[in-house]
Amino acid sequence: MTGDQDWLIYRGTGEPHDGIKRLPPPPRWREFGGGPLVDPVLGADSSGGRRLGERERAASYRADPEVVEIVNAALYLRRPLLVTGKPGTGKSTLAYSIAHELGLGPVLRWPITSRSTLEQGLYRYDAIGRLQDASLRQNGARTILRQVGGGDASPPSIGRYVRLGKLGTAMLPQRRPRVLLIDEIDKSDVDLPNDLLNVFEEGEFEIPELTRLPDDQSVVEVMIADGTDQVAVHRGRVRCNAFPVVVLTSNGERDFPPAFLRRCLRIDIRTPNREQLTEIVAAHLGEHTVAECAEVIDRFLDDRRTGDLANDQLLNAIYLATSGGRPQEETRGRLLDALLRPLNQQGS
């Protein structure tokens, strides 16, 4: 890359590279400097395969130039991205594309519902499990003492009962940022966006159950959301080193408070044009399907003028038409009607 493109860290090409190493230091007001640094052992991306067709969908994603520019601005400024668009336009896929291209590990996906709370995103403490284990251990130790005169009735470490959530794991002091996908934030309770502000601004949070421990228990090993090991938390405080790449998606079903909006960089994902749809179909189903199903793409574009249609609906329709099963013309027409039914059409 030369000229005006030199500043781009994320290029939106789907080709992995180590451009994250060129990311300059953050602005002074976005420096967090958490530590000591941790390098947790990460598990597999359990949701990526189900939702994105393994890694191919993330690799084949092609972002508009405007989207690429705003993503890079967020990387430079260490700010969250609020990505708005109609269902099926690739809002969530953008997070997977960033993680894939920049080699940032599995995406931490936090799906939001009306019952989601900030604490659920940060950590979970299993107090009941700890109490039950302590009781069993004490009873077992008493039995051993009676039988052989030995045994250990000391309670298990509290760290066994603390698991960081997706947001909490993203805030660990890691060398490279993790990608955090907060999916469908517009479905949340009205207070959640404001509750997120302090974590995003301060880059840290506390686990009260750990801050109350005595000095000889100032370091506690806790579990993380998607890894196979434990990480050390010092005096109950988690402070990030590299601010995570936060992607919040919204279907545009609600407005957000100004205090929340001014801390995010906003992207509006537009519906893809014919050329972009052709690239999507070719990437997922092969170049040969584009010529075979040109009429299906034409119908999709026509129907989209009067109703909301998702890219997945087009891919489903084309796959059915090219998968080997060849229904009769009348049946094929009915199936296309069903598969390409607008999302905003609720009645029969």
Side-chain angles (χ1 to χ4, degrees):
M1 283 193 178
T2 59
D4 188 52
Q5 303 299 303
D6 289 342
W7 75 286
L8 297 179
I9 305 298
Y10 169 71
R11 303 167 186 167
T13 62
E15 299 177 4
H17 57 83
D18 61 356
I20 194 68
K21 294 180 180 179
R22 297 190 293 107
L23 188 65
R28 287 181 297 172
W29 55 90
R30 299 297 291 168
E31 291 178 348
F32 300 106
L37 298 181
V38 299
D39 292 298
V41 178
L42 303 179
D45 186 351
S46 60
S47 66
R50 294 195 306 273
R51 302 182 72 253
L52 301 173
E54 304 301 336
R55 301 179 64 180
E56 285 78 6
R57 190 163 184 178
S60 62
Y61 180 82
R62 297 295 182 270
D64 289 340
E66 297 85 354
V67 171
V68 171
E69 291 173 356
I70 298 176
V71 168
N72 279 278
L75 291 173
Y76 276 77
L77 298 173
R78 277 66 170 184
R79 287 292 183 184
L81 285 160
L82 177 59
V83 185
T84 305
K86 294 181 178 180
T89 52
K91 300 184 299 295
S92 300
T93 311
L94 176 61
Y96 289 88
S97 172
I98 296 170
H100 171 75
E101 183 175 316
L102 299 182
L104 300 180
V107 172
L108 292 159
R109 178 176 176 262
W110 181 19
I112 300 298
T113 70
S114 59
R115 298 179 299 278
S116 299
T117 65
L118 178 64
E119 184 174 300
Q120 290 173 349
L122 293 176
Y123 75 98
R124 181 175 64 87
Y125 172 52
D126 186 7
I128 295 177
R130 187 187 185 204
L131 181 63
Q132 290 174 338
D133 285 355
S135 177
L136 289 171
R137 181 171 295 213
Q138 288 175 352
N139 292 335
R142 291 192 189 100
T143 301
I144 294 173
L145 284 169
R146 285 195 300 268
Q147 294 175 349
V148 299
D152 180 12
S154 60
S157 169
I158 189 174
R160 290 178 53 188
Y161 308 96
V162 177
R163 180 179 292 277
L164 298 180
K166 301 299 178 65
L167 173 58
T169 299
M171 299 303 295
L172 285 169
Q174 300 177 82
R175 300 177 188 278
R176 309 181 86 182
R178 294 293 303 276
V179 177
L180 171 65
L181 171 60
I182 303 181
D183 217 1
E184 299 191 329
I185 185 66
D186 50 337
K187 287 185 167 58
S188 73
D189 177 83
V190 66
D191 293 326
L192 182 59
N194 277 331
D195 292 341
L196 289 167
L197 291 183
N198 187 61
V199 178
F200 289 160
E201 284 301 292
E202 301 301 325
E204 66 178 16
F205 68 95
E206 287 187 350
I207 303 175
E209 290 82 0
L210 303 186
T211 59
R212 294 192 290 262
L213 296 175
D215 289 344
D216 61 348
Q217 300 179 46
S218 61
V219 179
V220 177
E221 300 276 338
V222 305
M223 296 180 286
I224 64 174
D226 68 335
T228 58
D229 65 345
Q230 294 178 300
V231 297
V233 173
H234 296 253
R235 299 196 176 277
R237 183 182 297 273
V238 176
R239 184 175 180 85
C240 73
N241 175 63
F243 188 77
V245 181
V246 182
V247 178
L248 305 107
T249 70
S250 169
N251 292 324
E253 296 176 358
R254 62 177 280 193
D255 295 326
F256 297 102
F260 178 79
L261 293 176
R262 75 180 180 85
R263 289 170 170 84
C264 299
L265 274 71
R266 286 176 274 177
I267 294 175
D268 186 18
I269 300 289
R270 295 189 292 269
T271 53
N273 57 31
R274 183 183 182 85
E275 180 182 353
Q276 292 168 325
L277 282 175
T278 300
E279 291 179 359
I280 291 171
V281 171
H284 289 285
L285 300 174
E287 294 282 353
H288 64 282
T289 60
V290 175
E292 286 184 52
C293 295
E295 75 280 3
V296 180
I297 298 176
D298 289 337
R299 173 173 173 174
F300 179 85
L301 290 168
D302 289 338
D303 291 352
R304 202 177 65 183
R305 295 190 181 99
T306 57
D308 292 337
L309 289 169
N311 299 345
D312 288 347
Q313 292 174 270
L314 175 63
L315 293 174
N316 288 334
I318 292 180
Y319 176 79
L320 188 64
T322 61
S323 61
R326 300 287 180 174
Q328 295 181 354
E329 190 66 28
E330 183 178 351
T331 302
R332 185 171 181 268
R334 287 198 301 269
L335 289 173
L336 282 178
D337 289 341
L339 291 171
L340 299 181
R341 181 174 178 173
L343 300 175
N344 56 345
Q345 181 180 325
Q346 301 294 326
S348 59

